Amino acid sequence: MKNSNPLMKAHLCLMIAMMCGTVGGAVHFIIECVRSTASNERLSNLTNIILMAVILSMLAMGVTYLIKGYSKEAAKFYKAFMLFHVGVCVLSIIVNVFFYKLTGLMAVICILTAFKALDLLIMTFGKDLGERKTWILFYVIIGFDIIALILAVINMMKIGFDFSFTGYVTALIADGTIGLSVRGKYSNKKSRGSS
């Protein structure tokens, strides 16, 4: 992390904290999987363990991209970070559809998550997006996750507290890591005289 600045250090700390939280979540689901007797409950826990593993992989790619200074040579880690994020979206939809009570609000959340995944793919593979369009796409993602969080709260008011609520909060924190990565990406481009 040559020429690191306070924002890069804050970014690294945020991602490490998320990794620790994800490891804690994985341990929780592994214990629950061992304890579970019903096949559906065991499958739910196994799916959540896979989700935690994908989140850890996503964060590992993000940390590597950051440590390499958001450089052009490290662009593959940025793409991997974004693609693992898409994987998190897909697995989240699967968990919500198959292992939680699928209310109308949850269906809307799943649709928003699908659009978020599409947005992430555009950010990852879009040609010549430029900084302005990339930031617009990022703000759209933030919007999707804020709406999903609000809908999750409303849904819980109807059916009671759900542990999955923490996932919506985590998604917003993860969005912060995307924003910091985008900022680092374009700051590095400017320092190299690229647009």
Side-chain angles (χ1 to χ4, degrees), residues 97-113:
V97 169
F98 292 102
F99 302 114
Y100 290 101
K101 185 178 180 181
L102 189 63
T103 63
L105 290 172
M106 288 301 293
V108 172
I109 289 172
C110 288
I111 292 168
L112 289 172
T113 305

Side-chain angles (χ1 to χ4, degrees), residues 53-71:
V54 174
I55 292 172
L56 273 175
S57 299
M58 174 192 80
L59 293 170
M61 293 299 102
V63 166
T64 305
Y65 179 58
L66 186 157
I67 289 172
K68 290 184 176 289
Y70 309 112
S71 64

Side-chain angles (χ1 to χ4, degrees), residues 116-171:
K116 176 183 174 180
L118 179 61
D119 196 323
L120 287 164
L121 286 171
I122 294 170
M123 285 179 71
T124 306
F125 296 110
K127 297 292 183 183
D128 304 317
L129 286 177
E131 186 173 4
R132 183 174 175 276
K133 287 180 182 177
T134 301
W135 279 116
I136 289 171
L137 289 167
F138 168 72
Y139 292 131
V140 169
I141 287 174
I142 291 280
F144 284 153
D145 281 336
I146 289 173
I147 294 169
L149 176 61
I150 293 168
L151 293 178
V153 171
I154 295 170
N155 191 59
M156 282 193 305
M157 289 170 67
K158 293 181 177 181
I159 66 172
F161 179 78
D162 192 332
F163 179 74
S164 67
F165 168 75
T166 57
Y168 300 104
V169 177
T170 304

